[in-house]
Amino acid sequence: MTIGRTTNFHPLTTYFITILSKDGGRAYYTVKTPHGLRIISLNTNLYYTSDKATVNVSDPADQLQWLNATLVNAKTSNERVLITAHISPGVHTPRSILWMHEKFHTPLADILQTNADIIVGMFFKHDHSDGFKVLPEKTVEYDRTTGRPLDITQYYLDLITANQNATDNWEVEYEATKAYEKPDLTAATLAKLARRIKNPGSKAFKNYWRFYTTTLIIVLNML
């Protein structure tokens, strides 16, 4: 993996470069926090539908095999696990887009569901919109010991105004527990919330859609 010519890295960046170098530059790894929580960072870009280099590979970089073994060991050691990655599994709404090749998505989802009892939360990027997904068997602020998701504060930036004023002003869009009137963001809580959001007339759906379309609303208000 090419890092580039820059040598003045932030200490945290240097730390992760060291981890990746030890792992052969595969860009996935696991660390255990001082509080006993295991964090697994996956390189799901390997499964991205725009990645044509991995289409004919059964298990790119042997990541699926590694993930399964890592979760089995975590379960044996009675560890709780947080998973993070860029490309997320599941369908991206409202256009029903699957970001991953099906041949990778299916075994990844199977591994996650099989080990759902120890996975307390999963956090992804890429969608560029607000949302959450709940696995059928289980599903930021979190309990540092248990990994239990407690709350998320979502910020947004009005790019049009920022460009006009040549300065950024990040504002709080919402705090999840207050906006949805929930005690936490555990899988059980989110599953109940998802059922409420299915009703277009519900307050939960109206809040979800308002948060999802923040950028669109800002643009329309300026027309």
Side-chain angles (χ1 to χ4, degrees):
M1 180 176 65
T2 302
I3 300 299
R5 297 181 179 180
T6 304
T7 56
N8 297 321
F9 294 117
H10 185 280
L12 188 59
T13 303
T14 303
Y15 169 71
F16 285 116
I17 290 175
T18 301
I19 293 178
L20 296 178
S21 298
K22 290 181 179 179
D23 201 26
R26 294 177 294 182
Y28 60 81
Y29 58 90
T30 181
V31 293
K32 188 173 181 179
T33 71
H35 302 279
L37 182 67
R38 179 161 299 282
I39 298 176
I40 296 177
S41 180
L42 299 176
N43 178 12
T44 51
N45 288 338
L46 295 170
Y47 311 144
Y48 188 25
T49 51
S50 294
D51 187 347
K52 309 304 180 184
T54 61
V55 174
N56 296 319
V57 181
S58 59
D59 185 6
D62 298 323
Q63 181 171 229
L64 292 172
Q65 180 181 348
W66 173 86
L67 174 62
N68 187 66
T70 301
L71 288 172
V72 168
N73 290 335
K75 186 175 296 188
T76 301
S77 302
N78 294 317
E79 296 173 342
R80 290 290 177 263
V81 177
L82 283 179
I83 293 179
T84 182
H86 185 76
I87 306 294
S88 67
V91 176
H92 175 55
T93 58
R95 293 177 293 167
S96 299
I97 297 174
L98 191 65
W99 293 125
M100 295 184 181
H101 290 293
E102 185 65 37
K103 62 179 293 184
F104 303 134
H105 182 274
T106 298
L108 174 62
D110 287 344
I111 292 173
L112 296 176
Q113 289 177 322
T114 299
N115 297 279
D117 56 326
I118 63 169
I119 300 173
V120 293
M122 298 186 290
F123 303 93
F124 301 94
K125 297 290 187 179
H126 191 72
D127 283 358
H128 290 254
S129 56
D130 193 72
F132 64 90
K133 303 179 179 78
V134 182
L135 287 175
E137 295 182 19
K138 187 82 175 175
T139 249
V140 143
E141 180 185 349
Y142 67 93
D143 187 296
R144 300 176 75 180
T145 301
T146 65
R148 176 171 167 262
L150 300 177
D151 204 356
I152 288 178
T153 301
Q154 181 71 291
Y155 291 81
Y156 73 95
L157 174 65
D158 182 343
L159 283 175
I160 296 177
T161 301
N163 287 328
Q164 291 174 342
N165 299 333
T167 184
D168 61 328
N169 181 30
W170 289 90
E171 298 182 60
V172 174
E173 183 180 15
Y174 69 92
E175 294 177 37
T177 54
K178 292 182 180 178
Y180 292 111
E181 300 175 343
K182 295 296 180 182
D184 54 45
L185 299 182
T186 60
T189 298
L190 290 180
K192 292 178 182 177
L193 176 59
R195 288 193 289 271
R196 289 172 54 198
I197 290 176
K198 285 183 178 180
N199 178 7
S202 68
K203 179 181 177 182
F205 175 83
K206 292 177 181 178
N207 278 340
Y208 172 76
W209 190 248
R210 178 163 57 89
F211 300 144
Y212 185 91
T213 56
T214 296
T215 303
L216 177 61
I217 291 173
I218 291 174
V219 172
L220 291 177
N221 286 339
M222 298 189 68
L223 295 180

